[in-house]
Amino acid sequence: MCRFLAYQGEPVFLSDYVCAPAHSLVHQSLHAQEAKTETNGDGFGLGWYGEREMPGLYREIRPAWSDENLRSLCAQVRSRLFFAHVRASTGTATTRANCHPFSHGPHMFMHNGQVGGYGRIKRRIEEMIPDGLYEQRLGTGDSEAIFLAALGQGLAEDPVGAIARVLKAVRGLMSAAGIEEPLRFTAAYTDGESLYAFRWACDAKPPSLYYREGDTGLVVVSEPFDTRREVWTPVPKGCTLVARPGQGTSITCLDEAMARLAA
Amino acid sequence: MCRFLAYQGEPVFLSDYVCAPAHSLVHQSLHAQEAKTETNGDGFGLGWYGEREMPGLYREIRPAWSDENLRSLCAQVRSRLFFAHVRASTGTATTRANCHPFSHGPHMFMHNGQVGGYGRIKRRIEEMIPDGLYEQRLGTGDSEAIFLAALGQGLAEDPVGAIARVLKAVRGLMSAAGIEEPLRFTAAYTDGESLYAFRWACDAKPPSLYYREGDTGLVVVSEPFDTRREVWTPVPKGCTLVARPGQGTSITCLDEAMARLAA
Amino acid sequence: MCRFLAYQGEPVFLSDYVCAPAHSLVHQSLHAQEAKTETNGDGFGLGWYGEREMPGLYREIRPAWSDENLRSLCAQVRSRLFFAHVRASTGTATTRANCHPFSHGPHMFMHNGQVGGYGRIKRRIEEMIPDGLYEQRLGTGDSEAIFLAALGQGLAEDPVGAIARVLKAVRGLMSAAGIEEPLRFTAAYTDGESLYAFRWACDAKPPSLYYREGDTGLVVVSEPFDTRREVWTPVPKGCTLVARPGQGTSITCLDEAMARLAA
Amino acid sequence: MCRFLAYQGEPVFLSDYVCAPAHSLVHQSLHAQEAKTETNGDGFGLGWYGEREMPGLYREIRPAWSDENLRSLCAQVRSRLFFAHVRASTGTATTRANCHPFSHGPHMFMHNGQVGGYGRIKRRIEEMIPDGLYEQRLGTGDSEAIFLAALGQGLAEDPVGAIARVLKAVRGLMSAAGIEEPLRFTAAYTDGESLYAFRWACDAKPPSLYYREGDTGLVVVSEPFDTRREVWTPVPKGCTLVARPGQGTSITCLDEAMARLAA
């Protein structure tokens, strides 16, 4: 289990959200409160959009709490759209390539959750990745595999549908392999403009996910970074938060999208 | 605050103490129970005596809990005398050179504690280090400085006296600088044969320290690595555990040694 | 291209071969003379057999030339059979899991060479790895993939035949993909007792490989670590050096083994 | 010996100078041509001015040539004033804190050179650092010590004079200690506005240093990053390049400043 934060809005310094708040993401790397694991010390990452179509990435295997570069970078970089993630490994190695967020062209993705019995179906999940994208797989983890598989399923054109198709397929692989551990999936995706945040689990126990629409923009977090709980709204279980530029935010049903597939 | 372990006795695999027990030192790196900080993820180190007069050192800045090399090394190396340490920084950078244990020739030292206001008296503490040893200072932290200062005060010949002199001097520097934070000092020292474990604080709140004399030898730990509390004896506050080869263990008074200096 | 060293014989300190000679492997990490790349600074690794059936591994992403742990470990560890490797990446990321040697149970393998167009046939090569072994793939590189594929082809029972089958299959994949870059393969394999060293290339330009039978044992190297060229014998192109305990060394023909497969 | 680059002018992407040119600084990390050491693989660093008074810093212990974060950061960050440095250690450990550039408030400094016999006079050089600055010393190397000592000598108000005083004092310490190895000093300093580049050595063999005034601004480099040698002007030995905003560049004599001190 990990902790993450996504921001979309007027350009702000990353430090305002990642480092400064009392219970900032950096603080959560050492003292998460709503996660199964309190410590998220198995690497971290930042991804932000600046003047380029492609996001910048800074991913590192040290714990976020002691990384001087992270603090310095967050103090300098101002962005209208960025992701930040602190990682607690569910088994795969701590390498930069296994740290979130993952990017492909203008697309960016990060994940908090678990694919039960991943080792036993890793190969089957990887088979869902198209050849052209498989060449670009840099890491070994479940999250990157799901991202690339979803790109192959049309993530860019139909984010909710693509994620629904991939989750359904992964569930099928887990069942076929007799895996009883759950599939839990909380994630954020952007194409550089719109922001999607997913919250789903096969056992109705998805990791926590909140959002807040503030003065400068939208913030989506694994857990609030301050104590003003009233300003934070949970993303409902089985749902997706959608924020298209100029269209405000809306909640759409991921469960339904999966149910339609089943029909 | 950190967690550490020292072993002296028949040669055993390091993994038997460092990795294997339910609440092993590696486990304590993520879930310490008796420390001010539960997470000790700011680097770690091993020091062990093999066929050479000088100990081997393996120190690394990653957290101990995810280090494959640590597990592999502990499974291979058998030693009659070794130190292991997981670090929670009190401020200095996470570099290998700031990780414990520290060595000088056959001498080895590790520390758990804090020098209140270290930044303000760092230079004064360093002045206590003789020129010849100062050249060999590799890191920037308080623990290494105290070790080198103690070597200059005769640590090799009179361990209890040397530590008493250094602690007294550091207390003096702290007073002179108007520092009100405490000096707390739990540490282990060996010359490659005898083992000394110190427990002292200016405010009667030294970090915890326990020992156990078992079938194969003596183990000294910051906190027990199993739940059989009855087999572990606390080192009394203000005292030093002394274990010379062939002479069993004894407790000697560090407070008294300091008081004599004061006279 | 990388540089490596393998030793089999009376137990010696690793430092005698890895660190101490004028042109030691550590020196070659900065100044290789017979390699396409002079600098081999993309990680390194040690694997050695001690009291356990499984080897110990120390792999790290820093350059070998500045790694204090490597020097300390080599000064302490004495072994009858060990591998050491300094890496120059041909494209895959610098992670510990991509550093050589690789191990599986008592088996250990390291490689110097290149699989032309690896990115384009990575997936096809991975398909050669049996399911049970694929779960244990930790890295993303060509060398580990070839090792696991060879284990699936019977590396433990028939090392020369298994390597011949894998090389032939990889050549087939390269041809099918229209890859014109060469397949060059210099490698060492051991089951913890016997040592095999392979030298082969599809274009008759395999990386260099030498051996020396000295007072204490057999040494196989990418390039000699001293200037006494007369004591070093090249492993002939297309051949395998075989050293079974108590049976001396012999040269066997890898080319022939491959030709038999073709028939 | 190291390699570095400084830029002052219209805001440009760092990648245009650090990563893109044929013989870019990243290329020089592996294949320097005018340095005593071809490989500069002992860490690297970036420092740049953005919207804040203080520069951003990204320093890392991996070699520059394989660092994905460096490439991504350079592709995103646009700056009017930045330093980049690839390091070849002359003895001190490879830690982030020993990587260049060093910063203090808005001031930034980087160095290429050597202080002969540094270990023997490290303590004496450190004594030149005022107490308030000594607390902020993060590393252990000669370059940071010289920077902090120069700040104490008025680097902010009188850059050439302060460097002259420090070089003279260090030479005095070296003479007093009977050190015969040379003091060689090529460095860049900025207060966030003006840029100074120094080239001096006690033995008339200072490391190379060139500059170019191009379309968008001034570039100062250890060695040119392209083959158009005619556009690059060497900074004369014993001189300082001074570039104040709106005042163009000028060359001033460091040797004279030192001679005046001697008088």
Side-chain angles (χ1 to χ4, degrees), chain B residues 119 123 126 129 131 134-135, chain D residues 119 123 126 129 131 134-135:
Chain B
R123 169 166 252 171
E126 288 177 338
I129 305 172
D131 271 8
Y134 192 74
E135 277 187 50
Chain D
R123 171 167 250 169
E126 288 177 337
I129 304 173
D131 270 9
Y134 192 74
E135 276 187 51

Side-chain angles (χ1 to χ4, degrees), chain D residues 15 52 143:
Chain D
S15 52
R52 309 266 194 190
S143 302

Side-chain angles (χ1 to χ4, degrees), chain B residues 36-88:
Chain B
K36 281 173 62 182
T37 53
E38 184 181 337
T39 308
N40 294 279
D42 299 323
F44 68 88
L46 285 180
W48 73 96
Y49 295 86
E51 298 181 56
R52 309 268 194 188
E53 187 191 28
M54 290 173 62
L57 284 190
Y58 173 54
R59 303 189 293 179
E60 178 49 81
I61 59 177
R62 299 191 187 194
W65 66 76
S66 65
D67 195 85
E68 314 88 342
N69 290 326
L70 175 63
R71 286 199 301 274
S72 187
L73 197 55
C74 286
Q76 294 290 331
V77 173
R78 194 196 282 271
S79 173
R80 62 176 173 81
L81 181 58
F82 62 87
F83 284 8
H85 186 280
V86 294
R87 181 171 176 265

Side-chain angles (χ1 to χ4, degrees), chain C residues 151-170:
Chain C
L151 282 170
Q153 288 291 326
L155 184 64
E157 301 78 30
D158 173 19
V160 177
I163 291 295
R165 284 186 287 276
V166 168
L167 291 179
K168 185 169 179 59
V170 172

